[in-house]
Amino acid sequence: MALFDIFRRSGTKAELPTVTDIHCHILPGVDDGAPDLETSLELAGRMEEMGFKRIFASPHITESTFENTPEMLDTALDRLSTALKEKGSGLILDRSSENRIDDFFREQLEAGNIRPLPGNYIIVENSFIQEPWNLDQFLFDLKIKGYKPIMAHPERFFYYHDKNLSRYEALHNAGNYFQVNLLSLAGAYGKIEKKVAEALVEKGWVRFLGTDIHNLAHVEAIENYLTTRDARRQFERLVPNLLNDTIETPQS
């Protein structure tokens, strides 16, 4: 324990395995993330200090709770982008969305109202209660339409935890991408989520990393994690497989 304390006090920080975050909730006033522009600016500033150079915000699109439209999200994006430029930030900011697999998402997708990440990657999120009905067919249909599904934080879905990674393996082998949360690796959700996230990293199945930052407590959890040897170990395993930095920056 003494050696660990010395390491933490030294201020040594693990270098992030990517400079691109594809999953966070820092747009002002659109979901359960940043409630206002002031908070958005503080979150973005702290992320830049961590080492991020590009951020693709991923506000929730969820039936009944966050029925966000392109107009709502683009307005929030423009507000934050303008404010960052006025402060002299070098961050490159854009957005996609985190899409709960429900009827509202299906309707918005059919209407052409969903903005995927460059390269046609699309972030999808399971319900936290149970696996969506007919998930495999839905993901297959997305691929037929030319999308590349990224499953957001699969390590957080408890109904997969007792399957000894078999369900994860099936989803991975079907050509779906996994995005693990940096907060999961940091242990912010609990020991089980951390263990499962590390197992997915060990298998080489994690192709995207996201912060999933919603608030300053999340920022602080990640900042603390970056001072640990555990972060260095996990990042070394992640680096060969991550695709975050291969995503192109949209031309303005």
Side-chain angles (χ1 to χ4, degrees):
M1 179 60 72
L3 287 176
F4 180 75
D5 289 341
I6 290 170
F7 180 77
R8 288 182 65 89
R9 287 198 301 269
S10 71
T12 303
K13 186 177 75 171
E15 183 176 350
L16 290 167
T18 173
V19 297
T20 306
D21 187 16
I22 68 161
H23 185 164
C24 63
H25 300 268
I26 67 169
L27 294 189
V30 295
D31 61 9
D32 58 345
D36 51 44
L37 184 59
E38 182 181 2
T39 305
S40 294
L41 286 170
E42 186 168 4
L43 294 176
R46 296 277 283 272
M47 292 174 73
E48 190 169 13
E49 290 174 1
M50 284 183 205
F52 287 107
K53 297 179 180 178
R54 298 194 305 164
I55 295 176
F56 289 92
S58 59
H60 290 291
I61 291 182
T62 310
E63 188 171 33
S64 299
T65 311
F66 303 113
E67 294 189 345
N68 283 308
T69 64
E71 293 75 20
M72 295 164 62
L73 298 181
D74 289 341
T75 297
L77 175 66
D78 289 343
R79 287 184 66 211
L80 181 54
S81 295
T82 298
L84 284 170
K85 289 176 182 177
E86 289 174 351
K87 290 179 68 70
S89 171
L91 274 175
I92 298 171
L93 180 67
D94 208 300
R95 77 155 184 90
S96 181
S97 56
E98 180 184 11
N99 307 289
R100 179 71 58 85
I101 301 174
D102 57 28
D103 289 340
F104 181 72
F105 168 50
R106 290 182 174 91
E107 292 168 3
Q108 292 297 297
L109 186 65
E110 188 67 24
N113 290 335
I114 300 297
R115 182 191 297 182
L117 290 161
N120 246 20
Y121 293 104
I122 189 166
I123 300 174
V124 296
E125 181 191 35
N126 284 18
S127 163
F128 281 92
I129 299 173
Q130 63 185 16
E131 183 179 87
W133 178 79
N134 214 13
L135 176 64
D136 296 272
Q137 185 63 51
F138 177 74
L139 295 172
F140 176 79
D141 290 343
L142 283 179
K143 291 191 279 282
I144 290 296
K145 293 175 182 177
Y147 294 109
K148 302 172 187 175
I150 300 175
M151 298 190 70
H153 46 64
E155 74 279 4
R156 297 187 65 192
F157 301 126
F158 72 90
Y159 42 82
Y160 291 156
H161 292 171
D162 62 351
K163 300 185 185 302
N164 195 29
L165 298 185
S166 62
R167 184 59 175 138
Y168 292 111
E169 183 173 19
L171 289 164
H172 171 266
N173 289 346
N176 304 299
Y177 295 95
F178 289 167
Q179 174 261 303
V180 155
N181 282 357
L182 193 47
L183 283 164
S184 296
L185 293 172
Y189 306 112
K191 293 180 180 179
I192 295 176
E193 289 84 353
K194 177 177 174 62
K195 180 179 179 180
V196 173
E198 290 175 344
L200 297 176
V201 171
E202 183 71 27
K203 288 286 188 179
W205 294 343
V206 177
R207 306 309 304 276
F208 292 95
L209 188 67
T211 63
D212 207 358
I213 284 171
H214 286 66
N215 51 53
L216 288 173
H218 286 167
V219 169
E220 290 165 2
I222 293 172
E223 288 174 341
N224 289 334
Y225 179 61
L226 293 179
T227 67
T228 67
R229 290 188 177 91
D230 184 37
R232 292 178 179 274
R233 284 194 299 269
Q234 297 304 328
F235 291 174
E236 287 176 0
R237 295 169 176 166
L238 278 165
V239 165
N241 297 311
L242 286 185
L243 296 175
N244 292 52
D245 292 340
T246 69
I247 294 178
E248 295 182 359
T249 300
Q251 298 299 312
S252 58

